[in-house]
Amino acid sequence: MSQFSLMDNAMSSQESSPARERQRPLASPSRSSYSAALRQKSCSERIIMPSILVVLIFGVVALMFGPVVGTLRTGRYQPAASAPLTGTALASAEPADAIETREFHAPSHSDRIEGVPAVVDRLVSNSPEVPWNPDDYMLKRDLVEPLADDGHIAVTFANHNHLDFATNWAYHIRKTGCTSYIVGAMDEKILKELVKLNIPTFYMASNLTTNDFGRFTKEFIEMGRKKAAMVQSFLDLGFSTLVSDVDAVWLRNPFPFFRKFTDADMLVSSDLIQTTSIAEGLEDLSGARHGLNIGVMFLRPRALSLVQEWIANMRSDPKGWDQAELTHLFRSNLTVAPNRSDGLLSIYNGKLLGGALPTSLFCSGQSYKEGTSWEGGLRPYSFHASGIASATSGKRSRLREWGFWHDEPGRFTHPVGFLSYDNHVPLELINEVRDFKNQSKTLQGVLPHFKLMNEQLSQLRVALVAAKELGGAAAVLPHLWLGKQNDIWPGDGYFRESRFQMPFTAPADYTMDLEWMDHEIPDEYREFSFLEKPEATPLLASRVVIVICQAEADADCEEGEAPAIPKEDDTVRLKPNRNLYQLRTALSHLYKSYKIVHFQGRMEKAIHLNPVETAFYNERMRGWMGAFCCVEEKPGHIFYDLFWDVPGHINRFNEVQEGPWEPKPGP
């Protein structure tokens, strides 16, 4: 019997709601009978009846036009330009010029691949509502059989909070030419959406949250049990099952790889960084002893006994983590299987044959970033967004940065426009990091890293302020250089086994709290690779370059006392250290004619904030930066500070910074 009943008992007991009966329309008298009846009324009634009709007509008119009138009375004028900062001397000095808003037209996406049906990736809002029953999508063999490829099926699962991840997963696996896949819907909300999108799906009825599961929360632990029950159900039905988390992306059709290992009962990915495999072989015994990651795993029905014990162990331990429990079973008496040339190992106390998938082909967040695949001239099968900061927001950002996220065309439009800039990295700071020999866990050991980072944070601060001041444009984040690498374990800034040469360019989740930014400014920033994507080509054709003059005495530089007029080569020269009024006066109008305003030169010198403005923007942006981890102090993390070079600002300790900034662990 399918173990999926563990999660869908509640649904199976629900009765189908009866169809609503149509209300019979009220019969209305004919015009002649109505006139005859009216003639029989008294004089007073003849007066009252028309009055009632007038009142009714007036009421209908009021209902129709009342909201409009109310809006005209109570609505507030919202200019497209940024509102002046409350309490500043500039608030009364700037004229209230509204900026014209417009829509940019990005090229349409094409999901059609030769020989592969197109992925429907947009909800059809005008499709008629039809009666449907979630029970029709319960997991059963005749639902999966038409999708399977010779008994093989790829599976993921998600709740409504991860709908965009589910559609991204389906888009990319379909793009590889693989059509043997299905998505588990953990709740009815996501089930409806997947059905509308024509994505093969089944109903898990998990009775868990439709929001984010968090990390090691009660809901997170329970989600792992639902995953295990799902795996057992597919094996019960006789399918060889490729299970991947919804934050994985398929880059090649995976089934040809797994068909090469016909004797394998179970193959699972790992968090190994330096691969031990050769070509497209499995990791060796030492690699399999590294931390396994069940975000991607392949199981044949012969592994059913292991999965049953996996479920039983978690049932006996309410706090048991699914990955830890499965790793324990997999590694029980793990040895090299004798007389084999395919690299399979003896797992699960000698009862099964299995192995660790090569991290060069089934990549984690770190192994892909280190280019493990490229060094061997290999093409990865998958990328799993594991080991990434900023939770779900960080995963989504990392996938976007590396081109593994399928965005709607609307992301390449904005009601105001986009702001980008050249990230200036002084060569002397690069060399200081490269030549630094102190790799200790002390504060002294991280100083060159923070010198390099802080130089770039000053530029990022100005760019974020300028984007807000110029009407609320979306800022394109820079590709920041780091002098040490974050470590999810306390250490010296180097991942275990990492081969990175310092410094290196890092994903945004290394330095920024993207979860906080998505909460506060979801449409006010874009990833560093945004303008490199084909969909951004029309944007680049509509770009004005703001050249920041390097000295106050530079000739032909705008002062900000009047709107700047671009030259024939679409450039504007702007004096440095402009106040916010001068910045808005000189540049705000440019978004009427251009889609991108790009700053060239020393971005940190573009504007100057007065104390009130500094306090406002420091409070606004304080939570947007992440932390470096870790030094040997307790706590060992050190937060990045966008206002590190502004004495007198309030830092993350809620203290006034006096004097030069110094790295301080905590809070």
Side-chain angles (χ1 to χ4, degrees):
M1 178 181 175
S2 170
Q3 291 300 310
F4 228 92
S5 57
L6 293 173
M7 65 184 71
D8 59 29
N9 283 341
M11 281 304 304
S12 62
S13 63
Q14 291 180 2
E15 298 180 0
S16 300
S17 57
R20 296 181 179 178
E21 294 184 359
R22 296 181 180 272
Q23 291 186 351
R24 182 177 301 172
L26 296 175
S28 57
S30 65
R31 180 180 296 272
S32 59
S33 61
Y34 178 82
S35 301
L38 183 59
R39 283 194 298 269
Q40 296 174 7
K41 300 296 179 180
S42 64
C43 179
S44 60
E45 289 172 317
R46 291 178 202 166
I47 296 173
I48 294 172
M49 186 61 70
S51 301
I52 294 175
L53 289 174
V54 170
V55 171
L56 290 173
I57 292 171
F58 181 83
V60 171
V61 172
L63 287 173
M64 292 174 63
F65 295 101
V68 176
V69 174
T71 302
L72 293 174
R73 282 182 188 155
T74 62
R76 297 179 181 176
Y77 173 61
Q78 297 288 346
S82 297
L85 298 176
T86 304
T88 69
L90 301 176
S92 60
E94 181 186 11
D97 291 332
I99 295 179
E100 179 182 315
T101 61
R102 56 198 165 72
E103 212 177 312
F104 305 144
H105 300 285
S108 60
H109 283 264
S110 176
D111 302 323
R112 196 164 294 280
I113 305 166
E114 186 174 353
V116 181
V119 176
V120 180
D121 63 350
R122 197 168 291 108
L123 293 180
V124 183
S125 59
N126 59 352
S127 59
E129 288 291 334
V130 294
W132 76 299
N133 187 347
D135 290 342
D136 293 339
Y137 296 90
M138 303 307 290
L139 183 60
K140 47 188 177 292
R141 186 173 183 83
D142 60 4
L143 182 67
V144 181
E145 184 68 44
L147 302 170
D149 178 7
D150 192 23
H152 292 69
I153 190 73
V155 185
T156 192
F157 64 103
N159 69 354
H160 189 261
N161 185 74
H162 285 75
L163 173 62
D164 56 346
F165 279 86
T167 57
N168 189 65
W169 185 93
Y171 171 82
H172 280 92
I173 196 168
R174 174 71 68 89
K175 192 175 178 181
T176 70
C178 175
T179 58
S180 301
Y181 68 90
I182 193 167
V183 179
M186 302 191 75
D187 53 73
E188 192 171 324
K189 290 175 67 177
I190 190 174
L191 177 65
K192 278 189 175 183
E193 303 294 355
L194 293 174
V195 169
K196 287 181 181 179
L197 291 167
N198 293 329
I199 293 175
T201 185
F202 64 96
Y203 189 31
M204 296 174 66
S206 67
N207 295 318
L208 297 179
T209 181
T210 58
N211 299 317
D212 199 284
F213 290 111
R215 182 73 171 164
F216 293 113
T217 62
K218 182 179 179 181
E219 297 274 358
F220 176 87
I221 296 297
E222 188 60 27
M223 179 263 292
R225 284 152 172 74
K226 303 299 184 186
K227 177 180 180 178
M230 179 190 73
V231 173
Q232 180 174 355
S233 294
F234 277 92
L235 299 184
D236 273 337
L237 293 174
F239 293 103
S240 295
T241 307
L242 172 59
V243 186
S244 71
D245 288 349
V246 77
D247 59 348
V249 172
W250 292 102
L251 309 176
R252 294 169 64 188
N253 188 335
F255 288 124
F257 177 89
F258 293 109
R259 286 195 174 97
K260 294 189 298 184
F261 300 93
T262 55
D263 291 341
D265 302 308
M266 180 179 181
L267 299 172
V268 60
S269 63
S270 78
D271 289 324
L272 191 67
I273 296 175
Q274 295 186 22
T275 184
T276 62
S277 70
I278 299 175
E280 290 204 359
L282 301 174
E283 300 289 352
D284 64 16
L285 181 62
S286 64
R289 285 174 173 162
H290 197 277
L292 297 181
N293 189 308
I294 64 172
V296 176
M297 55 182 179
F298 176 78
L299 305 96
R300 288 191 166 92
R302 299 188 297 265
L304 183 59
S305 59
L306 182 151
V307 174
Q308 289 171 335
E309 186 171 351
W310 179 30
I311 292 173
N313 289 350
M314 288 191 291
R315 190 180 296 123
S316 63
D317 181 6
K319 296 183 179 180
W321 180 27
D322 59 340
Q323 181 164 290
E325 296 289 349
L326 189 61
T327 297
H328 172 74
L329 294 174
F330 181 95
R331 287 182 178 170
S332 297
N333 292 321
L334 180 67
T335 60
V336 175
N339 304 318
R340 301 202 66 89
S341 60
D342 54 10
L344 288 174
L345 306 173
S346 175
I347 66 171
Y348 189 42
N349 289 316
K351 299 176 186 177
L352 299 174
L353 290 174
L357 294 169
T359 191
S360 55
L361 297 176
F362 298 85
C363 304
S364 65
Q366 184 67 14
S367 66
Y368 185 86
K369 183 162 62 67
E370 293 207 11
T372 305
S373 306
W374 309 328
E375 289 183 357
L378 303 172
R379 290 173 52 229
Y381 282 94
S382 69
F383 166 73
H384 179 208
S386 59
I388 292 175
S390 287
T392 300
S393 294
K395 294 173 182 286
R396 187 183 294 108
S397 175
R398 186 81 69 94
L399 292 172
R400 277 184 169 135
E401 289 173 343
W402 290 347
F404 297 153
W405 189 266
H406 180 61
D407 272 313
E408 293 288 340
R411 183 168 171 79
F412 294 88
T413 70
H414 193 276
V416 177
F418 302 94
L419 183 147
S420 59
Y421 70 97
D422 292 339
N423 185 36
H424 176 73
V425 183
L427 182 59
E428 59 269 22
L429 296 183
I430 294 285
N431 291 333
E432 184 176 350
V433 167
R434 186 176 294 142
D435 299 336
F436 193 61
K437 304 302 181 184
N438 183 354
Q439 301 301 333
S440 69
K441 304 175 185 178
T442 63
L443 291 175
Q444 187 68 25
V446 301
L447 288 179
H449 162 70
F450 275 99
K451 285 177 66 177
L452 176 63
M453 270 299 299
N454 285 344
E455 178 75 19
Q456 299 170 85
L457 293 183
S458 298
Q459 302 170 61
L460 177 59
R461 175 188 73 227
V462 171
L464 293 171
V465 171
K468 180 65 175 176
E469 289 295 319
L470 296 179
V476 179
L477 300 179
H479 207 173
L480 295 173
W481 285 80
L482 274 67
K484 275 186 178 287
Q485 188 163 207
N486 279 353
D487 199 335
I488 55 176
W489 304 280
D492 59 5
Y494 288 83
F495 260 88
R496 298 174 184 177
E497 308 171 86
S498 175
R499 296 166 296 172
F500 262 162
Q501 296 296 316
M502 304 297 155
F504 66 99
T505 51
D509 61 272
Y510 266 52
T511 56
M512 308 193 76
D513 191 333
L514 300 173
E515 191 174 21
W516 194 263
M517 291 176 68
D518 277 352
H519 174 70
E520 292 196 338
I521 54 167
D523 196 39
E524 294 182 30
Y525 77 96
R526 296 291 188 272
E527 67 279 4
F528 68 78
S529 60
F530 176 74
L531 295 177
E532 301 169 12
K533 298 176 180 177
E535 297 91 338
T537 302
L539 301 177
L540 295 172
S542 178
R543 184 178 78 155
V544 61
V545 176
I546 311 302
V547 179
I548 303 169
C549 300
Q550 296 304 305
E552 292 283 356
D554 276 7
D556 197 25
C557 294
E558 300 286 343
E559 295 187 0
E561 302 305 322
I565 300 176
K567 300 181 184 300
E568 291 184 0
D569 60 352
D570 295 317
T571 62
V572 170
R573 292 175 60 80
L574 182 69
K575 282 190 174 183
N577 299 313
R578 299 299 87 193
N579 61 40
L580 296 187
Y581 170 69
Q582 292 170 327
L583 177 79
R584 291 190 291 261
T585 300
L587 306 181
S588 288
H589 68 287
L590 295 176
Y591 281 116
K592 295 180 181 181
S593 305
Y594 297 92
K595 300 173 183 179
I596 300 174
V597 173
H598 179 81
F599 284 82
Q600 193 176 83
R602 299 301 298 268
M603 188 66 192
E604 75 277 12
K605 297 183 180 299
I607 61 175
H608 173 75
L609 302 179
N610 66 33
V612 176
E613 294 161 349
T614 296
F616 173 84
Y617 276 106
N618 179 49
E619 180 66 25
R620 170 179 162 82
M621 301 190 294
R622 189 184 305 169
W624 298 355
M625 297 309 299
F628 168 79
C629 182
C630 286
V631 293
E632 62 188 5
E633 307 284 337
K634 293 185 179 180
H637 61 270
I638 303 171
F639 274 101
Y640 296 109
D641 190 344
L642 284 169
F643 286 80
W644 69 276
D645 55 345
V646 182
H649 80 280
I650 306 296
N651 60 24
R652 290 293 283 262
F653 294 87
N654 205 29
E655 300 171 347
V656 176
Q657 177 184 313
E658 301 290 352
W661 183 91
E662 294 180 357
K664 181 178 180 181

